[in-house]
Amino acid sequence: MYWIDSHCHLKAFHDKCELENVLNRAFENNVRKLISVGTHFDDWDLYQQLSTHYSNKIYYSVGIHPCYVNEDWLDQAVKVESYWSDKVKPCALGEIGLDYFRLPKDIDKSNRIRALQKECFTYQLHLASRLECPIIIHSRNAFSDCLSIIDENELDWSKVVFHCFSEQTEELNEISSRGGFASFTALSLYDGNHSIRSALKKQGLDRLMLETDSPYLPIEKGSKKMNEPKSIPMIGEAISRLFGVSSNQVRKNSCELTEAFFNL
């Protein structure tokens, strides 16, 4: 059994001409499958090409990250569905959602950005429903609105995963009670993040998906080094200690669920 990084962004390494080294380090650490998650039209073609070249090792998603939503979001959004007509299809639509973390202080501008994000999110949810594909949700300082919009669109919650979960047990229960999932990063291991660890334990080993969100969120908080997919075993080992089980058990459970959820 091997490890899977269910959410990373390989364009950052590609742009620095470091991708081959990064992938080799991942494979050497028994991270045998990776999902490179789309955020913007600029990375979708690259990820499809990588998925073609590294067949059965790199998988990809396409979607418009809320921080890339602007007045012209529809110009990008109409291109998303075409990827499902290609030979090498995405394994999910995402990451999509809402991000209110860095809104401008000007109220009118802030409200406009919120409105645009909601419009784009709803459009992409409709598309995911039609495609009957898994959905990767990005939610930052916007959990309630994300939940409401997904509910309003009557989606199959068993196809929904909130990536890089950073909320508390109450929010985790809202997701789990609907049949959805949360995936966890090194963020759950940082000192002081007791509420995230509580949510992780509440979801349980049988519903566990792991991700690095690399190049972000290094194992050591505050580190200036780019995080890499090779970090997944370290995250898994720390979580095994949290649950009091072997790392092999964490690896097995997270691998089996990730493969089933994304149909890898």
Side-chain angles (χ1 to χ4, degrees):
M1 190 63 71
Y2 41 81
W3 296 97
I4 299 176
D5 186 352
S6 71
H7 192 116
C8 60
H9 302 283
L10 296 180
K11 188 176 186 297
F13 307 114
H14 174 270
D15 291 350
K16 290 180 177 290
C17 300
E18 275 293 312
L19 181 59
E20 187 173 350
N21 291 331
V22 167
L23 293 177
N24 285 337
R25 286 191 287 269
F27 299 150
E28 288 167 3
N29 282 275
N30 201 25
V31 182
R32 300 295 178 86
K33 294 184 179 182
L34 308 87
I35 300 175
S36 198
V37 175
T39 59
H40 185 272
F41 182 69
D42 288 346
D43 59 28
W44 300 344
D45 284 349
L46 170 63
Y47 292 164
Q48 186 182 58
Q49 292 163 13
L50 292 176
S51 186
T52 301
H53 185 73
Y54 294 93
S55 180
N56 299 317
K57 291 182 179 179
I58 293 179
Y59 301 82
Y60 78 109
S61 72
V62 295
I64 305 173
H65 187 292
C67 289
Y68 288 109
V69 173
N70 55 33
E71 297 286 349
D72 300 323
W73 66 263
L74 189 57
D75 293 342
Q76 283 192 63
V78 295
K79 301 172 183 177
V80 170
E81 188 170 6
S82 65
Y83 287 84
W84 269 264
S85 301
D86 292 339
K87 183 177 179 180
V88 181
K89 299 176 175 59
C91 68
L93 201 157
E95 60 190 278
I96 65 176
L98 304 173
D99 192 314
Y100 299 163
F101 183 66
R102 290 191 176 90
L103 293 175
K105 293 182 179 180
D106 182 274
I107 298 299
D108 291 337
K109 291 181 180 178
S110 176
N111 287 340
R112 181 56 182 161
I113 291 172
R114 287 174 187 252
L116 289 170
Q117 287 190 11
K118 289 177 180 179
E119 290 172 11
C120 185
F121 187 27
T122 298
Y123 178 97
Q124 292 181 98
L125 288 176
H126 287 163
L127 177 56
S129 179
R130 187 163 71 250
L131 293 168
E132 298 183 333
C133 65
I135 309 165
I136 302 168
I137 300 295
H138 173 103
S139 172
R140 194 171 189 189
N141 291 16
F143 182 81
S144 179
D145 280 356
C146 275
L147 204 71
S148 296
I149 291 173
I150 297 172
D151 279 344
E152 288 166 5
N153 285 277
E154 300 180 348
L155 290 167
D156 179 356
W157 268 92
S158 69
K159 295 181 179 294
V160 174
V161 59
F162 276 67
H163 105 92
C164 190
F165 191 77
S166 59
E167 306 287 348
Q168 302 185 42
T169 302
E170 180 180 353
E171 286 78 14
L172 190 281
N173 287 338
E174 294 278 8
I175 295 170
S176 296
S177 66
R178 289 165 165 80
F181 297 85
S183 61
F184 292 86
T185 64
L187 192 65
S188 62
L189 311 177
Y190 292 172
D191 290 343
N193 284 349
H194 305 294
S195 61
I196 301 177
R197 286 191 285 278
S198 295
L200 169 57
K201 292 190 74 173
K202 177 68 176 179
Q203 180 167 251
L205 279 176
D206 61 331
R207 296 174 61 81
L208 179 64
M209 282 189 269
L210 302 179
E211 57 165 296
T212 59
D213 200 16
S214 54
Y216 315 108
L217 301 177
I219 291 290
E220 295 182 9
K221 185 178 181 180
S223 173
K224 301 300 182 182
K225 293 182 179 180
M226 295 174 75
N227 191 17
E228 296 184 17
K230 71 173 184 178
S231 300
I232 280 289
M234 288 179 276
I235 297 173
E237 287 163 10
I239 288 174
S240 74
R241 293 192 292 272
L242 181 66
F243 279 95
V245 300
S246 69
S247 61
N248 286 341
Q249 187 65 53
V250 171
R251 183 173 62 206
K252 179 178 184 295
N253 284 34
S254 61
C255 178
E256 289 178 351
L257 177 60
T258 303
E259 289 188 325
F261 182 86
F262 290 104
N263 193 29
L264 304 185

